[in-house]
Amino acid sequence: MSVALRLYEQLTEAGEDKTRAKLIAEAFEHLEDRYPQLKDVATAGQVRETELRLQKEIKEVEARLQKEVKEVEARLQKEIKEVEAGLRTEIESIRLDMKEIDARLQKQIKEIEATLRLEIEKTRLEIREVEAALRLEIEKTRLEIREVEVRLQKEIKEVEVRLTQAIHRQTLWVVGSVGAVVGMIRLLEWFLAHLPSA
């Protein structure tokens, strides 16, 4: 049961005004005990005065904030312009550096290309010299091979002649030997045929 309902019943049952006043006082005391902050509750006038003061302070704060925001915006705009100017200067400096680097690299590339062309030409000349030397060596070797072939053919012919002569001499010697043996055999046969019989 709520406090208000209980108070209503008590007030209805109480017959005397003193009892009723006492019940109302107890109810207020009970409310104050239960809700001690009620003592601190402001009146409507105080609330209105506080509201007006707060609105005034809010407007002052808003004005001050707007002023500070404008100052910050102006300072930021100034800083942004300074940063942009600094960046433009740095970018221009970097562009100039890049142009210098590009020019230097182009020069180095041309020098390297010229050096490489010279080296390639030098290498080609060396290759041609080596090719010419090799051709001379090959031609010289071919001539030497031909000379060796001629000499070997001559030596082979000489060997063939000597072998033919040697074979001819051996054939004559063999024929002569065979003729001598045959002559001796006939001579022996003749001696044997003419021996006096005993």
Side-chain angles (χ1 to χ4, degrees), residues 21 33 35 57 59 71 81 111 133 143 151 179 184-185 193 196:
D33 289 342
Y35 302 105
E57 288 177 4
K59 286 180 181 177
E71 289 174 358
K81 287 178 182 176
E111 289 174 355
L143 288 172
R151 192 175 65 249
M184 286 182 71
I185 290 171

Side-chain angles (χ1 to χ4, degrees), residues 31-32 35-47 50:
L31 277 173
E32 285 177 356
Y35 302 105
Q37 67 269 23
L38 287 176
K39 297 174 187 176
D40 299 330
V41 173
T43 62
Q46 290 172 331
V47 168
T50 304

Side-chain angles (χ1 to χ4, degrees), residues 113-135:
E113 284 178 349
T115 307
L116 284 174
R117 284 193 191 99
L118 287 173
E119 287 293 325
I120 290 168
E121 195 59 34
K122 185 180 174 184
T123 306
R124 283 179 180 160
L125 289 172
E126 289 175 356
I127 290 169
R128 287 176 190 151
E129 289 174 1
V130 170
E131 285 179 348
L134 285 173
R135 285 194 188 99

Side-chain angles (χ1 to χ4, degrees), residues 13-75:
E13 290 173 3
E16 297 179 9
D17 287 337
K18 285 184 180 180
T19 308
R20 284 183 186 165
K22 185 179 177 187
L23 286 172
I24 290 170
E26 285 176 356
F28 274 110
E29 186 181 357
H30 180 68
L31 277 173
E32 285 177 356
D33 289 342
R34 188 164 181 188
Y35 302 105
Q37 67 269 23
L38 287 176
K39 297 174 187 176
D40 299 330
V41 173
T43 62
Q46 290 172 331
V47 168
R48 181 68 184 150
E49 185 183 335
T50 304
E51 184 181 349
L52 290 172
R53 191 176 68 250
L54 285 173
Q55 284 177 351
K56 182 183 177 185
E57 288 177 4
I58 287 169
K59 286 180 181 177
E60 289 174 357
V61 168
E62 283 178 349
R64 194 168 61 248
L65 281 174
Q66 285 177 355
K67 184 182 176 185
E68 288 179 7
V69 165
K70 286 179 181 177
E71 289 174 358
V72 168
E73 282 181 353
R75 193 171 65 248

Side-chain angles (χ1 to χ4, degrees), residues 148-160:
V148 169
E149 284 179 351
V150 169
R151 192 175 65 249
L152 284 174
Q153 286 175 357
K154 184 179 178 184
E155 288 178 3
I156 289 168
K157 286 180 181 177
E158 290 176 358
V159 168
E160 286 176 350

